[in-house]
Amino acid sequence: MGIRIEKNEQENFRKLDEIIERYKNQEGMLIRILQKSQEVFGYLPVKVQAYISEQLNIPISTVNGVVTFYSLFNEEPQGKYVIGVCMGTACYVKGAPEILDAVKDELQIEEEETTMDRLFTLKSTRCIGACGLAPVMTINDEVYGRLTPADIPPILYQYIKTHKKAQVTNENE
Amino acid sequence: MNLQPLRTKEDLQQLRDKTYETISLRIKDTNVEKEINKYHILICAGTGCTSSQSHKVRKKFEEETRKRKLTDKVKFFKTGCFGFCKLGPIIVVHPDKTFYTKVKLENVDEIIDQHIEKGQVVEKLLYKSLKTNELQKTMNDVDFFHGQNRIALRNCGVINPEDINEYIAMDGYQALAEILTKKIAPKDIIETIKKSGLRGRGGGGFPTGKKWEIAASYEGDKKFVLCNADEGDPGAFMDRSILEGDPHSVIEAMIIAGYCINAHQGYIYVRAEYPIAVERLEIAIDQAKKAGLLGNNILDSAFNFDLDIRLGAGAFVCGEETALIKSVMGFRGEPNPRPPYPAEAGLWEQPTLNNNVETFANIPIILRKGPEWYSSIGTDDSKGTKVFALAGQITNTGLIEVPMGTTLRTIIYEIGGGISDGNELKAIQTGGPSGGCIPADLIDTEIDFKSLTDIGSMMGSGGMIVMDQSDCMIDICRFYLDFAQDESCGKCTPCRVGTKRLLEILKNISNGNGEMEDLETLEKLCHDIKDASLCGLGQTAPNPILSTLKYFRDEYIAHIKEKRCPAGVCNGLLQVVISDEKCVACGICARVCPVNAITGENKKPPFHIHQDVCIKCGACIPKCPVDAIYKR
């Protein structure tokens, strides 16, 4: 996540070619190709969509139609950590709106926005099926359950700390 | 894992007997605890328990046993969901079936010291009955499992889902082997399923045998079997648990379905939001291929069947079968009018059989135990069992499987342990965004497909959200309509525009701007949307409103006429007030108020909030040292 298209662009397009090559002869693989491309680029900018449309010989309107239809696809760059506050019914009645507010408050961003430092993106997600632990929130693949608004700042702080440590190590090298 | 391709039914039987021996200590009833010198520890690896760090607990167990050189004595296995997610991580120690709840990293040493080395149960980790305060040692003792009958979930919490041998040990793939070896005619298998009375578990409740028969009757160049694992209903997670805990039962059933309708390719359409389920499915498909149970020439019978996974990309409407088919083909998941039904023209216009995960999971055991066994469970209208996801304001949240015809009272008070914090039950929401709210006085309803429809709700995929007095029914409707209008694909107008209008009216009511005529408009619009929408999403989206208008009309009236939210949820109607008795007149609230709405004289209680100035920000509430300020 969080890979900027300007960097590694050539390398990423080479990977995209491999993906297209692998799937283009099978029927109905557009969604799979888009999923894999998003793993490479972190999001699906128009440039990538246009490239896929050209290579597969599918109208770009169809490609963009698919991208905008499914909530999994992003046309904007995402933060390094994507926070998903579950808005399923079980979480909702157990106080998910307060959890969402706590994250908004802590990071000073709204839903679907990314922090200035590109560290966090905030989303409200559909039920992730961990209703027994409601309310829950995910940060990338990690699931946090039985939350109260007071749990939010320390959890986010852990990520900020990890990120800063990684930065320091990078600079020292 | 070293897997040899199986060629005959006898090969399968041999493998079964061999593996059964190794896992028998989990299944046999042994109470002779002194003679135990080997242990199997099963650690739940479902999403619920994984979120409660069960994978770290497992790792620590493995490290500790290695350190103490106990690896011969104790073996650890991942297993599927026990259903009691609230008390995760859950581990079960076999052969004495000890059921430990909330096992944390620091408990690992205790369990090894006491249970494994000395044979003593660690009592503080046992479940304590809420009714009798007694400690309940085994899974069968625990109140939560009383009244349950685990058929679709039969292997969840018993076997390791990442090991095909363990599924085979529990008589897995026997039904398939029987069919392929004896070359049983498809119509006989379909007859058996029809006789069992199994109905589709995805929501619609269409008779499964009938669906197979129709799909078998159409000719096509290439037919398909499709498994709908796009579990979009918020608050339902049974399909996820089955895929995570027993993926082979779905695979076996899909191969049998392929044999019955003469299809050689299947797809499982699963949500990308379920990474653990996807991973287990991939492992299972790979192992089934290596074991010669999937792919070309299955068990040397010349029957071929292949299976692929397709990942959903986050669209609720894709649970609708025609939309799902579009999505599998890689397009926008927009539904088509039916007929033609997918059984006639589905994937790439070919006959396609589409069933839900839970439906498939029931098939192998029905074929093994016979239709009479299955149809003896349940009610006249609905046979067998149904898995429900219990969530919301209930003590024991989790996954349960009960016979059809069980009353809501049994589910909520016996299995669910009652309403959390001893509150009073207000309503039960079933069927997700397509269902309705059932009021507390209908709690003795015996639930099946028909009874739920009769009282204005529906079975849906089996989500069951329990609500108490702190939940506002208008707010819940607003929540569901917000969901429905957001997920509406936009293809047909009644759904695209109608759900938006419904949501606007509900928002008006919850903000205190509602009029009594709104109720009539709501009702009329609901019926229009139901009648005119293209697919199930639109046809059922008004159900939450219709059912609450029927059973909780007084709550709408309170919002409209009295401008009051009885549950204290709708922000627009709330007042922030200071309790005259509690106030100590310290003046802190007046100082934090951003709009100077609070006045009073120091040391002369009470202080007062001027409602015409107050912006209901709530800043004063946490600052009050004596908790005298509240919303009402």
Side-chain angles (χ1 to χ4, degrees):
Chain A
M1 290 277 175
I3 306 160
R4 306 271 288 276
I5 192 163
E6 305 85 50
K7 289 187 212 164
N8 315 325
E9 191 172 272
Q10 269 189 331
E11 174 64 15
N12 285 343
F13 272 94
R14 198 189 52 72
K15 283 186 192 157
L16 181 56
D17 282 334
E18 278 173 23
I19 294 165
I20 294 173
E21 195 51 42
R22 192 167 143 209
Y23 293 113
K24 76 173 178 193
N25 293 325
Q26 296 175 46
E27 254 178 316
M29 280 303 191
L30 178 58
I31 292 180
R32 180 70 62 92
I33 291 172
L34 291 169
Q35 280 166 343
K36 293 277 172 194
S37 313
Q38 183 159 298
E39 280 170 24
V40 172
F41 288 91
Y43 67 115
L44 294 170
V46 176
K47 206 168 165 179
V48 172
Q49 294 180 38
Y51 189 78
I52 293 172
S53 130
E54 213 169 278
Q55 296 297 312
L56 293 178
N57 205 11
I58 297 176
I60 189 165
S61 59
T62 307
V63 176
N64 186 256
V66 171
V67 170
T68 49
F69 187 83
Y70 294 101
S71 62
L72 197 77
F73 298 125
N74 307 305
E75 291 190 285
E76 297 291 326
Q78 304 289 294
K80 183 174 175 189
Y81 304 113
V82 178
I83 304 171
V85 179
C86 178
M87 278 290 162
T89 325
C91 290
Y92 185 81
V93 301
K94 282 285 192 182
E98 282 93 56
I99 303 296
L100 187 63
D101 284 344
V103 182
K104 282 183 186 170
D105 218 42
E106 192 62 31
L107 298 176
Q108 290 297 313
I109 49 173
E110 290 297 313
E111 278 171 63
E112 301 298 326
E113 284 182 4
T114 303
T115 51
M116 292 290 277
D117 54 6
R118 289 261 176 95
L119 198 55
F120 294 104
T121 298
L122 175 60
K123 292 185 168 188
S124 65
T125 62
R126 294 290 178 234
C127 183
I128 61 159
C131 312
L133 306 175
V136 300
M137 157 178 107
T138 56
I139 298 183
N140 291 356
D141 290 336
E142 198 72 31
V143 181
Y144 297 89
R146 304 185 189 99
L147 293 169
T148 65
D151 296 329
I152 301 302
I155 292 173
L156 295 179
Y157 179 67
Q158 285 303 322
Y159 284 88
I160 296 169
K161 210 167 95 181
T162 320
H163 174 72
K164 285 210 169 131
K165 267 190 191 160
Q167 266 183 338
V168 173
T169 343
N170 279 345
E171 276 164 23
N172 289 346
E173 272 169 10
Chain B
M1 190 177 299
N2 194 12
L3 286 168
Q4 297 297 326
L6 304 166
R7 300 242 177 266
T8 61
K9 191 163 181 266
E10 287 68 46
D11 284 359
L12 184 75
Q13 189 63 36
Q14 259 176 17
L15 181 61
R16 182 221 169 253
D17 294 344
K18 205 174 100 194
T19 327
Y20 187 80
E21 204 51 48
T22 59
I23 69 163
S24 63
L25 91 168
R26 287 183 221 165
I27 300 144
K28 279 185 194 155
D29 268 325
T30 21
N31 282 318
V32 220
E33 287 174 31
K34 280 177 198 152
E35 289 173 19
I36 296 165
N37 52 16
K38 277 203 165 39
Y39 289 95
H40 278 191
I41 297 186
L42 298 183
I43 302 169
C44 180
T47 297
C49 285
T50 304
S51 311
S52 313
Q53 314 291 333
S54 73
H55 54 296
K56 289 187 185 155
V57 171
R58 194 179 68 240
K59 233 173 145 185
K60 175 133 193 235
F61 261 120
E62 284 167 352
E63 277 166 18
E64 276 302 312
T65 38
R66 257 201 306 278
K67 246 190 248 165
R68 302 184 189 204
K69 302 202 168 47
L70 290 168
T71 39
D72 286 340
K73 194 173 176 183
V74 205
K75 295 211 161 21
F76 298 94
F77 301 90
K78 280 185 193 178
T79 190
C81 184
F82 290 94
F84 213 169
C85 312
K86 174 79 178 275
L87 295 181
I90 284 173
I91 78 164
V92 173
V93 182
H94 286 287
D96 45 328
K97 299 193 168 88
T98 311
F99 189 83
Y100 288 131
T101 58
K102 289 193 180 167
V103 179
K104 304 220 168 54
L105 284 174
E106 56 265 30
N107 303 128
V108 169
D109 279 327
E110 275 168 283
I111 292 176
I112 298 180
D113 285 343
Q114 281 198 34
H115 199 133
I116 306 301
E117 307 239 37
K118 297 185 193 145
Q120 291 166 348
V121 171
V122 185
E123 290 196 346
K124 70 170 189 187
L125 296 174
L126 292 179
Y127 178 72
K128 195 173 175 187
S129 167
L130 295 167
K131 277 188 284 185
T132 59
N133 261 338
E134 276 169 19
L135 293 177
Q136 298 181 320
K137 190 188 151 210
T138 69
M139 192 166 153
N140 299 340
D141 295 338
V142 174
D143 292 335
F144 181 73
F145 294 100
H146 288 178
Q148 288 205 48
N149 184 355
R150 288 163 76 96
I151 294 176
L153 300 173
R154 61 193 177 277
N155 288 331
C156 293
V158 180
I159 63 166
N160 175 0
E162 296 182 2
D163 184 348
I164 189 173
N165 293 331
E166 295 202 359
Y167 177 69
I168 291 172
M170 300 301 289
D171 294 327
Y173 290 107
Q174 295 272 348
L176 176 71
E178 176 87 5
I179 288 166
L180 293 183
T181 320
K182 294 194 178 159
K183 306 226 179 301
I184 298 176
K187 71 171 185 358
D188 294 340
I189 304 166
I190 292 173
E191 198 51 43
T192 308
I193 295 168
K194 275 168 88 176
K195 247 199 258 167
S196 75
L198 176 67
R199 294 172 65 171
R201 295 292 191 251
F206 192 80
T208 307
K210 183 106 187 132
K211 200 172 201 175
W212 287 32
E213 189 175 58
I214 298 170
S217 71
Y218 286 103
E219 295 292 324
D221 309 333
K222 201 178 176 199
K223 296 166 89 173
F224 297 98
V225 177
L226 192 54
C227 174
N228 183 350
D230 188 47
E231 186 170 51
D233 272 13
F237 52 103
M238 57 285 301
D239 293 348
R240 141 173 244 169
S241 293
I242 292 171
L243 292 176
E244 285 175 359
D246 193 16
H248 286 285
S249 65
V250 177
I251 296 174
E252 183 183 358
M254 289 183 74
I255 305 170
I256 295 171
Y259 174 82
C260 287
I261 71 158
N262 192 26
H264 304 286
Q265 173 70 47
Y267 294 103
I268 302 180
Y269 185 88
V270 52
R271 293 177 74 193
E273 286 97 329
Y274 286 2
I276 300 179
V278 174
E279 195 195 322
R280 302 250 161 91
L281 261 179
E282 282 169 350
I283 295 172
I285 290 176
D286 185 53
Q287 290 183 355
K289 280 184 180 162
K290 285 191 180 134
L293 294 163
L294 191 63
N296 286 338
N297 195 16
I298 298 172
L299 289 169
D300 249 351
S301 66
F303 176 68
N304 307 330
F305 191 81
D306 210 352
L307 202 52
D308 276 326
I309 300 174
R310 287 294 156 98
L311 293 187
F316 176 67
V317 71
C318 289
E320 201 280 338
E321 57 181 8
T322 57
L324 182 125
I325 282 167
K326 286 265 190 67
S327 188
V328 172
M329 297 194 296
F331 301 117
R332 287 167 71 97
E334 287 172 351
N336 274 347
R338 297 179 301 183
Y341 285 87
E344 183 184 349
L347 279 169
W348 294 285
E349 300 298 314
Q350 298 295 329
T352 303
L353 172 68
N354 172 39
N355 276 138
N356 150 280
V357 172
E358 195 188 331
T359 317
F360 276 130
N362 277 300
I363 301 277
I365 192 163
I366 291 177
L367 294 176
R368 243 181 21 248
K369 291 198 170 187
E372 293 79 18
W373 163 78
Y374 194 77
S375 62
S376 69
I377 307 164
T379 62
D380 284 347
D381 172 74
S382 317
K383 301 297 180 194
T385 56
K386 176 78 192 86
V387 185
F388 290 101
L390 267 185
Q393 319 288 2
I394 187 157
T395 313
N396 300 337
T397 50
L399 205 63
I400 61 162
E401 182 169 356
V402 290
M404 292 278 191
T406 306
T407 62
L408 286 167
R409 185 185 295 279
T410 309
I411 293 178
I412 290 169
Y413 289 100
E414 300 297 320
I415 301 172
I419 311 304
S420 38
D421 305 325
N423 287 340
E424 207 179 308
L425 173 71
K426 181 174 185 180
I428 304 138
Q429 209 281 344
T430 67
S434 316
C437 294
I438 302 166
D441 51 357
L442 290 176
I443 189 172
D444 286 309
T445 310
E446 293 179 352
I447 43 173
D448 61 19
F449 284 104
K450 185 170 177 296
S451 67
L452 283 176
T453 315
D454 287 348
I455 55 176
S457 185
M458 68 183 274
M459 181 75 79
S461 55
M464 203 175 260
I465 312 282
V466 178
M467 298 173 200
D468 67 10
Q469 300 303 331
S470 68
D471 293 308
C472 166
M473 303 319 275
I474 284 85
D475 184 61
I476 294 294
C477 281
R478 199 184 52 75
F479 166 79
Y480 279 121
L481 260 296
D482 200 10
F483 180 87
Q485 72 92 24
D486 197 34
E487 289 295 342
S488 171
C489 75
K491 187 170 177 176
C492 73
T493 320
C495 175
R496 183 184 65 237
V497 181
T499 52
K500 208 168 176 70
R501 291 291 97 86
L502 287 178
L503 180 64
E504 280 169 5
I505 299 174
L506 285 176
K507 277 185 175 163
N508 264 340
I509 295 176
S510 79
N511 285 333
N513 302 323
E515 313 259 339
M516 283 306 281
E517 297 95 80
D518 285 344
L519 297 187
E520 264 170 62
T521 321
L522 268 182
E523 209 158 345
K524 189 173 172 303
L525 192 52
C526 281
H527 287 293
D528 290 346
I529 296 171
K530 264 177 107 76
D531 292 342
S533 291
L534 177 58
C535 80
L537 194 156
Q539 286 157 13
T540 57
N543 281 351
I545 301 181
L546 286 173
S547 69
T548 47
L549 275 176
K550 184 170 165 193
Y551 295 118
F552 298 95
R553 204 178 190 91
D554 50 339
E555 217 164 296
Y556 281 89
I557 295 172
H559 280 74
I560 296 171
K561 279 195 173 163
E562 300 164 34
K563 307 287 173 208
R564 178 174 74 84
C565 173
V569 174
C570 297
N571 234 339
L573 293 174
L574 290 182
Q575 289 191 341
V576 182
V577 287
I578 300 175
S579 154
D580 290 358
E581 293 91 55
K582 283 190 182 169
C583 179
V584 290
C586 63
I588 296 174
C589 54
R591 283 200 295 278
V592 295
C593 179
V595 291
N596 295 327
I598 306 179
T599 56
E601 212 174 311
N602 273 1
K603 291 179 189 159
K604 278 190 188 159
F607 270 53
H608 187 70
I609 301 178
H610 295 271
Q611 296 303 334
D612 46 339
V613 186
C614 175
I615 54 166
K616 298 165 192 167
C617 66
C620 50
I621 299 173
K623 296 287 182 197
C624 178
V626 291
D627 293 331
I629 313 178
Y630 60 97
K631 283 185 176 181
R632 77 163 176 218

